[in-house]
Amino acid sequence: MQGFGILGAGIVTLIVSSAFDHAYKAPPYMSNAAGSTVPQADYVWRIILMFGAVPAALTFYYRLKMPETARYTALVARNAKQAAADMSKVLQVDLEAEAEPVSKITHQPNSFGLFSREFARRHGLHLVGTTVTWFLLDIAYYSGNLFQKDIFSAVGWLPPAKEMNAIHEAYRIARATTLIALCGTVPGYWFTVALIDHLGRFFIQLMGFFFMTVFMFALAIPYDYWKERPHRVGFIVMYSLTFFFANFGPNATTFIVPAEIFPARLRSTCHGISAASGKAGAIVGAFGFLYAAQSKNPKETDAGYPPGIGIKDSLIMLGVVNAVGFVFTFLVPEPKGKSLEELTGEIEEEDGETEMQSSSRTVPVQS
């Protein structure tokens, strides 16, 4: 749904900025710098931001109404009766806990901690793989998302900021980013939804990093070629493909895999560590690109910023980041076709062998 969120944000911005742009006429910045931003423009970003709070508030409310997952309740809280009751409510069927299988689960010595040698042996490299790939992905993904306007302006797809007033600039940027979301971001996510259980998480993530690397280098190396007016459409198409393969790739799998490969009692913790690593990557991408993408010519930098390495070299750096993400993907296991218990070894036979569990059976119950 993140793709629809990105698309929705663009649509809301288009509607709000268009309405204010028509209601409050303002000259472009080059004609009247002070008058190009009317006082009412302050409401534009506030309204857009408040719209974004609506789905977040709804998510918070409905999450409070949801029961805890049956796996956690049975395997960690060790309350099979409550797990069966929660499943009965969600699935709208009558379920009853079985005493014998539950006792097998609750007596297992599989209770190693996050900082134990056993966790390091079983899942240490997995956690390194999920944290590093998410960190690297967000460097590339967030920098590409947040600074689309700079990239589009550099290749001439958007007019220079001085030729627009503030509200119209917001409209033009939203139109460009919404088009990218519609053509690249949203389709990429839904290709993942359709094919993830056929191709597998590992393959999709590897493929995504590979093509993100290819397209970043394809944009960066002949960058001056793409800046020429006849080639701008080709640049936008290839730039859209980087977002397509980000979402039909690691931007989907990096938050799916950590929710599948770790034990139930540590799953949210390991997912949280991986996600925090991703947000650190987002910070590096956002602030790093902000400085790095500045022109090498001190006269062409934004006010208050030192000279950077330019858009071209910044895109090359992002290509290298994606290539490193490709390598670290090999630390992440393939969970396709396996139950969560099979992946983590949480349900074991007395002889120590993993008991095969159906992926549709989330708690020992009988109807």
Side-chain angles (χ1 to χ4, degrees):
M1 297 303 292
Q2 187 181 30
F4 286 117
I6 294 170
L7 183 63
I11 292 172
V12 168
T13 304
L14 283 172
I15 294 172
V16 175
S17 59
S18 178
F20 275 77
D21 194 29
H22 283 84
Y24 304 100
K25 300 296 183 181
Y29 183 87
M30 61 190 302
S31 300
N32 184 347
S36 65
T37 304
V38 296
Q40 292 80 5
D42 189 55
Y43 293 108
V44 174
W45 72 268
R46 297 178 187 276
I47 293 171
I48 294 169
L49 187 65
M50 286 190 289
F51 266 100
V54 173
L58 292 174
T59 301
F60 179 77
Y61 172 78
Y62 284 111
R63 181 62 186 90
L64 292 176
K65 298 292 184 180
M66 291 172 60
E68 188 54 83
T69 63
R71 276 187 170 90
Y72 179 88
T73 305
L75 297 175
V76 182
R78 298 184 176 183
N79 188 340
K81 184 177 180 180
Q82 184 61 48
D86 291 340
M87 285 188 65
S88 298
K89 182 179 179 181
V90 173
L91 300 177
Q92 298 182 342
V93 295
D94 293 328
L95 299 172
E96 181 180 338
E98 293 180 356
E100 184 178 355
V102 172
S103 65
K104 288 183 179 180
I105 296 172
T106 56
H107 285 88
Q108 289 300 321
N110 186 6
S111 57
F112 51 85
L114 179 65
F115 300 104
S116 66
R117 290 184 179 179
E118 186 64 17
F119 177 86
R121 183 182 70 83
R122 293 193 183 194
H123 300 291
L125 287 178
H126 299 163
L127 186 58
V128 171
T130 58
T131 53
V132 173
T133 54
W134 205 335
F135 174 81
L136 295 170
L137 177 276
D138 276 9
I139 291 177
Y141 189 75
Y142 277 80
S143 60
N145 258 313
L146 294 174
F147 298 102
Q148 286 186 54
K149 67 179 183 65
D150 300 299
I151 295 171
F152 295 154
S153 297
V155 298
W157 197 35
L158 290 176
K162 64 182 180 180
E163 297 180 7
M164 300 177 283
N165 64 56
I167 297 177
H168 188 65
E169 183 181 10
Y171 172 82
R172 292 293 294 268
I173 292 171
R175 189 173 67 176
T177 55
T178 300
L179 182 61
I180 295 293
L182 189 63
C183 297
T185 304
V186 174
Y189 275 118
W190 286 94
F191 266 75
T192 299
V193 171
L195 299 174
I196 192 167
D197 283 329
H198 299 285
L199 300 178
R201 286 79 164 146
F202 176 80
F203 177 84
I204 288 177
Q205 182 163 312
L206 207 63
M207 175 191 66
F209 270 128
F210 174 78
F211 281 109
M212 288 173 71
T213 303
V214 169
F215 286 119
M216 282 294 182
F217 285 140
L219 290 172
I221 295 173
Y223 181 69
D224 293 331
Y225 169 85
W226 295 117
K227 289 178 67 175
E228 297 175 6
R229 182 176 292 275
H231 308 137
R232 290 173 183 172
V233 173
F235 180 94
I236 301 304
V237 170
M238 294 186 68
Y239 191 67
S240 297
L241 286 172
T242 64
F243 283 94
F244 175 82
F245 282 106
N247 297 302
F248 185 30
N251 197 43
T253 55
T254 50
F255 65 74
I256 293 174
V257 173
E260 297 180 324
I261 64 175
F262 298 108
R265 67 189 173 282
L266 300 174
R267 186 169 293 139
S268 62
T269 301
C270 292
H271 194 282
I273 292 171
S274 302
S277 177
K279 297 320 111 184
I283 294 171
V284 171
F287 285 97
F289 198 87
L290 183 63
Y291 284 89
Q294 296 296 322
S295 174
K296 297 178 182 179
N297 185 347
K299 297 180 179 179
E300 297 178 0
T301 60
D302 294 337
Y305 289 95
I309 60 176
I311 296 288
K312 177 179 179 177
D313 290 342
S314 297
L315 291 174
I316 291 176
M317 286 182 59
L318 295 181
V320 172
V321 167
N322 290 323
V324 177
F326 177 90
V327 174
F328 273 89
T329 295
F330 287 95
L331 297 180
V332 181
E334 174 56 77
K336 182 185 74 170
K338 299 177 182 178
S339 71
L340 299 184
E341 291 78 19
E342 184 182 353
L343 285 166
T344 61
E346 287 175 286
I347 298 181
E348 299 177 346
E349 298 282 11
E350 292 180 0
D351 61 2
E353 294 181 359
T354 301
E355 179 184 354
M356 301 298 290
Q357 297 288 324
S358 167
S359 60
S360 62
R361 187 172 175 118
T362 56
V363 65
V365 293
Q366 65 181 7
S367 57

